[in-house]
Amino acid sequence: MADSEDIFLRAKHRTFSGLTEDAESKWTGPFFFIQAADPQLGLMKAWKEGDCEGGGDEWAEEVELIRRAVEAVNQLRPRPRFMVLCGDLVHAMPDTPFREGQERDLKKALKETDPSIPLVFVSGNHDLGNTPTPRTHEQFCSAWGNDYFSFWVGGVLCLVLNSQLFHDASACPQLKEAQETWLEEQLSRASSSAEPKPKHVLVFQHIPLYLKTPDEEDDYFNLKREVRQSLLERFKRAGVKAVFSGHYHRNAGGLHDGLDMVVSSAIGCQLGDDAHGLRVVLVTDEAIVHRYVSLEQLSVGGADRDLQELLQG
């Protein structure tokens, strides 16, 4: 992009500059992309100190992890069609100390991404607040672009959703209603016979529908069962092949009734036994195949080997 700041604001008018239906609605053969989640600048120190509410005054560790990830992704050949960050970009909640500095340093690190790799941003609970308001919503959109939108890549329709509006929209009901109306239009069109017909439909959101099974108990890390079941039914009717999320800071998910719920661990703070990493996602004519790769593997070319294995089946 001519202006480097534009890489953070390509999601506008409910689509994504350069990855539009007109330009990308035809299937052109297999490709891959990178999914990342929870860089969450500031959480690593806050978690170590046991002060996740008020801590997070240092984030050099996360910045270094992001730089390593960007450097490794830039070296991939062929290049990924895009890289999507599935929320909790920073740890500081809206209108709290450290927010501005965390966003500034995250953008500085991400600016090193090769310009040929579009960056797609998904909103998380720390980006909008656990109970979003019109003000926090506007703050996010001003910094990172639309909170929900669609884009096309090589004949595949991708839907980016604001999962916080599924979680708690009590302070912004009109925003929830607007996303619901838009989402229903997108899903209805995807399931219709209208052209262009997507090869696959993928969804990206921060909070997982579920961690292991669709009927699991409600938890901080999943969507409430009533909301979850409704979305699952709608997604399946529309032919959604996979839902990619973060939030859990561990790898989880599972395939149920043809829909793959993919929960990826974090670039940043780990809450389980996984390594800091990214997910390599291969899109073929018939399937969506993916593998989580540690940053250590990425730095020594492990992602290239994994990609070749995925390509070979």
Side-chain angles (χ1 to χ4, degrees), residues 70-196:
V70 166
E71 182 178 359
V73 169
N74 285 345
Q75 297 303 314
L76 292 174
R77 299 294 186 277
R79 294 199 191 280
R81 288 300 314 274
F82 64 93
M83 180 163 68
V84 56
L85 281 76
C86 283
D88 277 1
L89 306 176
V90 298
H91 180 62
M93 291 285 190
D95 297 320
T96 64
F98 318 126
R99 172 73 171 218
E100 182 178 349
Q102 289 175 7
E103 287 193 329
R104 179 195 64 231
D105 289 350
L106 175 58
K107 288 186 174 185
K108 183 177 179 180
L110 289 174
K111 280 181 182 179
E112 299 304 314
T113 307
D114 189 279
S116 69
I117 306 172
L119 294 173
V120 178
F121 300 103
V122 181
S123 59
N125 57 302
H126 279 261
D127 304 313
L128 292 161
N130 288 319
T131 302
T133 67
R135 173 181 167 82
T136 64
H137 173 267
E138 176 56 32
Q139 288 173 339
F140 174 85
C141 294
S142 295
W144 303 101
N146 286 169
D147 58 323
Y148 62 91
F149 55 95
S150 65
F151 65 98
W152 289 77
V153 180
V156 174
L157 173 61
C158 300
L159 304 178
V160 171
L161 303 181
N162 179 346
S163 59
Q164 215 55 32
L165 297 179
F166 301 136
H167 171 74
D168 182 1
S170 58
C172 54
Q174 291 179 326
L175 295 177
K176 176 182 179 180
E177 183 180 349
Q179 178 175 248
E180 286 289 343
T181 300
W182 175 89
L183 177 58
E184 191 56 39
E185 292 173 353
Q186 297 293 315
L187 296 176
S188 296
R189 183 176 177 188
S191 61
S192 75
S193 58
E195 294 292 339

Side-chain angles (χ1 to χ4, degrees), residues 168-223:
D168 182 1
S170 58
C172 54
Q174 291 179 326
L175 295 177
K176 176 182 179 180
E177 183 180 349
Q179 178 175 248
E180 286 289 343
T181 300
W182 175 89
L183 177 58
E184 191 56 39
E185 292 173 353
Q186 297 293 315
L187 296 176
S188 296
R189 183 176 177 188
S191 61
S192 75
S193 58
E195 294 292 339
K197 186 72 175 174
K199 175 64 68 174
H200 303 294
V201 182
L202 306 179
V203 170
F204 301 96
Q205 59 187 58
H206 180 61
I207 303 177
L209 299 172
Y210 57 85
L211 300 176
K212 295 181 180 179
T213 62
D215 59 352
E216 67 193 22
E217 295 297 320
D218 294 349
D219 185 272
Y220 171 79
F221 290 108
N222 62 21
L223 289 176

